[in-house]
């Protein structure tokens, strides 16, 4: 197939764009999944893998909720197409191939978990797992994108890597507790869906405590980057602080206005932004920067051998 052979020889810019499209797609499907829940469309398609017992697609009788849920399912196919193209484009680059394949396999895995959420009538723990797997997919997509678009080296930032790992752990804890908060509050996705039964106020307070811990670590990263003479990392840290503070404002406003759907949706999008901004700080320390974007240094050994034979 000429098209496949052409993609196997894709230029670095093509690989970067496909990787970025995958990252954006994984963030986008979190946001559309949130829209499904916030519009009460979680059981718009009441079964899985079909939308109804007799049809794989939504019907007019299912109304807007069926259309929203079915539309979200269709986005999985868009994301799968991007992932397949990306696997082909990076296949000859060993450093890029493995994460691309893992991400491609993760998409149908996510689809199965999504199906289980429907079959369990939106069990809040399964819904939470679905979101956490999406966060993992976003992390993997960010790694792959950064391998195709490496950051300039900033040696002074290397010594701050342990601090950024603590920051990343705090960010992950914030996400996990946020999922528990969501499972104990309203906006279950359908009026038939059960909640965890946990005290929303207690879980929300725990969530706030974790956010303040993360905020303190983010401030520490920013000060430390300035102290060691790592201006690029300091700028990335400042971006994280701005995103984190904006997310905090949205969180407080939504809590004190009794969780309007539009603000809850914005908070979900903000959670993705905070996670990506956190990863950006980690990458500024030179993490995973060993062999660049998978060009000459990360091609497969067979391709390298062919090149050496040609030179001789």
């Amino acid at each position: 197939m000429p098209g496949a052979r052409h993609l196997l020889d894709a230029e670095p810019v093509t690989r970067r764009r496909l990787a970025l499209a995958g990252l954006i797609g994984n963030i986008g499907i979190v946001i559309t999944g949130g829209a499904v829940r916030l519009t009460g469309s979680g059981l718009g398609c009441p079964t899985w893998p079909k939308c109804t017992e007799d049809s794989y697609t939504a019907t007019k009788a299912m109304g807007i909720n069926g259309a929203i849920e079915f539309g979200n399912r269709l986005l999985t196919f868009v994301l799968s197409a991007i992932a397949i193209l990306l696997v082909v484009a990076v296949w000859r680059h060993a450093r890029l191939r493995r994460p691309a394949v893992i991400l491609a396999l993760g998409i149908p895995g996510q689809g199965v978990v999504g199906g289980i959420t429907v079959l369990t009538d939106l069990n809040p723990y399964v819904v939470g797992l679905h979101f956490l797997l999406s966060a993992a997919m976003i992390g993997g997509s960010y790694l792959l994108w950064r391998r195709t678009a490496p950051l300039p080296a900033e040696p002074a930032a290397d010594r701050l890597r342990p601090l950024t790992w603590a920051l990343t752990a705090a960010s992950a804890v914030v996400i996990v507790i946020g999922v528990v908060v969501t499972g104990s509050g309203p906006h279950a996705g359908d009026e038939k869906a059960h909640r965890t039964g946990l005290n929303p106020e207690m879980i929300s307070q725990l969530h706030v405590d974790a956010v303040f811990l993360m905020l303190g670590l983010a401030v520490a990263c920013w000060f430390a980057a300035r102290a060691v003479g790592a201006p690029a990392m300091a700028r990335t840290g400042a971006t994280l602080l701005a995103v984190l503070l904006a997310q905090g404002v949205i969180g407080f406003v939504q809590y004190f206005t009794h969780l309007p759907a539009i603000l809850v949706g914005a908070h979900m999008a903000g959670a993705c932004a905070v996670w990506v901004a956190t990863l950006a700080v980690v990458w500024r320390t030179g993490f995973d920067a060993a062999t660049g974007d998978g060009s000459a240094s990360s091609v497969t050994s067979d391709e390298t051998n062919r090149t050496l034979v040609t030179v001789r």
Side-chain angles (χ1 to χ4, degrees):
M1 296 184 358
R5 285 198 298 269
H6 178 73
L7 195 57
L8 281 169
D9 296 321
E11 296 293 327
V13 65
T14 301
R15 298 196 294 271
R16 283 196 294 271
R17 288 172 178 172
L18 284 171
L20 181 58
L23 174 60
I24 294 171
N26 275 291
I27 294 172
I29 206 162
V30 169
I31 296 170
T32 59
V36 169
R37 182 167 59 85
L38 294 169
T39 57
S41 304
L43 295 177
C45 289
T47 189
W48 186 88
K50 292 184 176 181
C51 193
T52 70
E53 294 294 339
D54 303 315
S55 174
Y56 281 97
T57 62
T59 63
K60 289 184 179 181
M62 299 170 71
I64 186 64
N65 289 345
I68 292 173
E69 164 62 6
F70 181 66
N72 187 60
R73 292 187 182 189
L74 287 179
L75 287 178
T76 300
F77 293 98
V78 176
L79 200 55
S80 297
I82 295 172
I84 292 170
L85 291 173
L86 184 54
V87 168
V88 176
V90 305
W91 189 256
R92 291 178 174 171
H93 306 275
R95 184 169 159 78
L96 306 178
R97 182 171 61 240
R98 179 176 294 181
V101 170
I102 292 173
L103 288 168
L105 294 176
I107 294 170
Q110 268 286 67
V112 170
V113 175
I116 294 172
T117 66
V118 173
L119 297 176
T120 57
D121 292 330
L122 305 182
N123 181 292
Y125 295 105
V126 181
V127 173
L129 174 62
H130 197 36
F131 184 89
L132 293 177
L133 290 175
S134 291
M137 292 287 288
I138 290 170
S141 297
Y142 186 88
L143 178 146
L144 183 55
W145 175 55
R146 273 302 172 209
R147 285 188 178 184
T148 66
L151 294 168
E154 193 171 43
D158 290 358
R159 71 186 77 172
L160 303 181
R161 197 170 299 158
L163 181 59
T164 65
W165 282 124
L167 173 69
T168 304
S171 183
V173 169
V174 168
I175 291 173
V176 171
I177 300 176
V179 166
V180 177
V181 172
T182 300
S184 64
H187 304 301
D190 189 89
E191 58 185 17
K192 295 193 304 181
H194 297 289
R195 303 281 75 200
T196 62
L198 299 174
N199 186 323
E201 291 187 5
M202 180 189 72
I203 300 300
S204 296
Q205 183 58 57
L206 185 62
H207 183 57
V208 170
D209 293 341
V211 169
F212 277 118
L213 171 62
M214 183 184 175
L215 180 62
L217 288 168
V219 171
C221 283
W222 179 70
F223 272 115
R226 289 173 60 87
V228 301
M233 181 177 173
R235 290 192 296 271
T236 305
T239 299
L240 170 61
L241 282 172
V243 173
L244 191 55
L245 289 172
Q247 174 75 334
V249 170
I250 295 172
F252 274 109
V253 172
Q254 71 164 1
Y255 182 81
F256 289 109
T257 55
H258 308 292
L259 304 175
I262 187 67
L263 288 182
V264 175
H267 202 53
M268 290 185 66
C272 295
V274 168
W275 182 230
V276 170
T278 300
L279 297 176
V281 173
V282 176
W283 254 259
R284 277 295 180 186
T285 66
F287 167 74
D288 195 54
T291 56
D293 69 346
S295 54
S297 58
S298 56
V299 294
T300 61
S301 57
D302 287 344
E303 185 176 327
T304 304
N305 291 338
R306 287 197 301 271
T307 302
L308 291 173
V309 169
T310 302
V311 172
R312 288 172 187 161

